[in-house]
Amino acid sequence: MSFDINNLRIGIVGLGYVGLPLAVEFGKKYPTVGFDIKADRVAELEGGTDSTLECSSEELAEATHLSFASDSAALADCNFYIVTVPTPIGDGNRPLLTPLKMASRLLGSVISKGDTVVYESTVYPGATEEFCVPFLEQGSGFTMNEEFFVGYSPERINPGDKEHRLPSILKVTSGSNAEAAEFVDAVYATIITAGTHKASSIKVAEAAKVIENTQRDVNIALVNELAMIFDRVGIDTEEVLEAAGTKWNFLPFRPGLVGGHCIGIDPYYLTYKAQQLGYHPQMILAGRRINDNMSLYVASQVVKLMLKKSIQPSSARVLMLGLAFKENCPDVRNTKVVDIVNELTTYGATVDVHDPWCDADEAKHEYGLDLVAEPQNGAYDVVIIAVAHDEFRALGADGIRAFGKETSVLYDIKYVLPPELVDDRL
């Protein structure tokens, strides 16, 4: 069966942080349908607005061949589909593959002979062929590599990063057979200026993605553990890391909270597969335990500082500066700031959360938090810098200290301020 790159009609399933930039880039060159099950998401994009802030109104307007839909019938005329739905974790940190199942069933009902379906969602090695393809085959009545083809090209979007955009990030590609792999690679090469890397199999491409973030998770866990050790020694972690960093091959990782949709989740996909095969990962899960508990460690450090200043946690007012999982980004998925809030409230403290980047309705829906639009000066016993938004950096030490009472505690998780201007930092 021949592949025709000159007759592409692209269908993107899922218009979040990953899917929308893809739809925009392809929509500059090819007839492209951006599909999402959320009608309100489609409506805002049709109005030229992206609430994730990944694409500007100007960028949306540049995609002149792009249309949006929440009705799957709009996908029927496409012949090259890309699935970009989320892959979260559920109870017991097990992969939650329901979005992938729904997307695969949907596409199984619309694909035609000769079509190609590419998955970008992060999964464990083998998931595309073992989990997704059966739904495509059942829904369509076709057989992979006979009537339709499959590929996997892991997403590498970094939410909020305006320097590393989709076209400038090298793309790993793969296909269900040699011809499909060539075709998938060629299609992506038309929009990726940084180039492509064609993996030998779908499983290799899946594994490459999942270890990218697993490696980062383990390295962050190491420096988080070092931070806890250096606190007991009585020395500043950042100062130690700067000194060690004078050696050319020292890796510049920093301690912090590990949230978001990638680093704190992807390792569980790999460990799930490993355990299915009878191997119990040790280092990966040890890193996960450390990083998952850093919010509790921060909360305990803050409570100790409060007690040293004779501030009773049970009656304290705390201001949390930041809710998003990273700076200059509205994404609150799997944010670990919430764990600090919840832990401090168990002590009886009242915690206000302020984040100029985050949507108040989303914070309320996801976590039951009512964001504070304008924190009151001089009202707080504790101020915690949880996210390094530019707005908080611009306030400086005086501006941030102004939120607190005269004897308040200022704790800096993200190294926004010099060490001598805060009571402590991670």
Side-chain angles (χ1 to χ4, degrees):
M1 187 173 291
S2 62
F3 297 94
D4 186 2
I5 199 169
N6 296 313
N7 190 36
L8 284 175
R9 299 183 301 278
I10 310 289
I12 309 292
V13 180
L15 295 174
Y17 288 87
V18 176
L20 182 61
L22 269 173
V24 167
E25 291 303 322
F26 277 118
K28 295 175 183 178
K29 292 178 175 289
Y30 309 105
T32 302
V33 176
F35 170 83
D36 200 286
I37 60 174
K38 297 179 180 177
D40 55 347
R41 174 64 169 162
V42 169
E44 75 169 24
L45 292 173
E46 288 179 329
T49 301
D50 171 26
S51 59
T52 70
L53 305 181
E54 286 302 302
C55 296
S56 66
S57 297
E58 292 75 18
E59 288 171 324
L60 290 172
E62 290 172 1
T64 56
H65 304 291
L66 173 62
S67 61
F68 300 103
S70 57
D71 185 346
S72 60
L75 293 167
D77 193 44
C78 298
N79 54 22
F80 190 95
Y81 299 91
I82 304 176
V83 177
T84 61
V85 297
T87 45
I89 53 175
D91 294 338
N93 294 321
R94 294 171 64 85
L96 188 60
L97 300 177
T98 303
L100 273 181
K101 179 195 294 186
M102 293 174 62
S104 299
R105 281 180 169 171
L106 183 153
L107 291 181
S109 69
V110 300
I111 60 173
S112 301
K113 288 185 178 181
D115 289 355
T116 301
V117 180
V118 179
Y119 290 85
E120 289 212 4
S121 307
T122 302
V123 291
Y124 54 81
T128 299
E129 293 156 297
E130 297 165 8
F131 181 83
C132 300
V133 168
F135 292 111
L136 295 175
E137 293 182 329
Q138 292 165 12
S140 64
F142 301 149
T143 301
M144 183 181 73
N145 290 337
E146 293 183 12
E147 290 97 351
F148 75 95
F149 304 87
V150 173
Y152 184 80
S153 180
E155 62 89 1
R156 283 177 163 175
I157 294 294
N158 187 23
D161 189 338
K162 300 307 179 185
E163 179 182 354
H164 301 97
R165 308 302 300 276
L166 174 66
S168 62
I169 303 172
L170 195 143
K171 203 81 165 73
V172 175
T173 65
S174 63
S176 51
N177 64 18
E179 293 77 16
E182 286 286 349
F183 181 55
V184 170
D185 190 75
V187 171
Y188 276 104
T190 65
I191 66 165
I192 305 297
T193 57
T196 60
H197 175 94
K198 187 175 64 176
S200 64
S201 69
I202 287 176
K203 284 184 180 179
V204 168
E206 291 168 326
K209 169 57 184 177
V210 80
I211 70 166
E212 288 176 15
N213 289 317
T214 299
Q215 182 187 65
R216 293 177 66 194
D217 192 44
V218 171
N219 276 291
I220 296 170
L222 173 61
V223 294
N224 275 336
E225 187 166 62
L226 292 175
M228 290 186 279
I229 294 171
F230 295 149
D231 177 69
R232 287 165 171 76
V233 174
I235 53 180
D236 183 71
T237 301
E238 177 68 7
E239 189 176 354
V240 175
L241 294 175
E242 286 178 353
T246 59
K247 189 178 181 185
W248 73 91
N249 59 355
F250 186 81
L251 300 178
F253 286 92
R254 290 296 184 269
L257 306 179
V258 181
H261 65 108
C262 287
I263 303 178
I265 291 177
D266 293 1
Y268 288 121
Y269 275 76
L270 184 57
T271 57
Y272 169 80
K273 183 63 175 181
Q275 289 167 339
Q276 277 191 326
L277 298 172
Y279 179 78
H280 182 72
Q282 300 182 54
M283 180 177 290
I284 297 172
L285 289 176
R288 281 281 72 237
R289 286 192 294 273
I290 291 172
N291 287 340
D292 271 348
N293 286 311
M294 284 309 292
S295 297
L296 304 183
Y297 173 75
V298 168
S300 69
Q301 293 297 95
V302 170
V303 169
K304 289 177 184 177
L305 290 170
M306 292 165 65
L307 294 175
K308 286 182 180 179
K309 290 194 173 187
S310 299
I311 300 170
Q312 289 302 315
S314 59
S315 59
R317 288 193 66 190
V318 179
L319 174 63
M320 191 73 65
L321 292 177
L323 175 63
F325 87 88
K326 63 179 293 186
E327 65 274 8
N328 303 327
C329 173
D331 196 347
V332 298
R333 288 176 294 176
N334 193 36
T335 175
K336 295 303 179 183
V337 176
V338 171
D339 294 343
I340 303 176
V341 173
N342 293 338
E343 183 67 8
L344 290 176
T345 57
T346 66
Y347 287 90
T350 300
V351 184
D352 288 347
V353 181
H354 170 64
D355 194 314
W357 282 81
C358 294
D359 181 77
D361 291 337
E362 185 177 10
K364 181 68 173 179
H365 178 266
E366 294 295 326
Y367 302 110
L369 293 175
D370 293 306
L371 296 184
V372 175
E374 296 292 339
Q376 181 183 351
N377 280 353
Y380 298 96
D381 299 288
V382 179
V383 179
I384 301 174
I385 307 172
V387 186
H389 290 320
D390 287 345
E391 289 84 346
F392 301 152
R393 292 188 184 277
L395 285 173
D398 291 340
I400 294 174
R401 281 278 186 191
F403 293 129
K405 300 175 182 177
E406 187 174 346
T407 59
S408 64
V409 168
L410 176 55
Y411 191 90
D412 187 0
I413 297 175
K414 297 298 291 184
Y415 297 81
V416 170
L417 301 175
E420 65 272 13
L421 298 180
V422 300
D423 290 287
D424 203 357
R425 59 184 189 174
L426 190 57

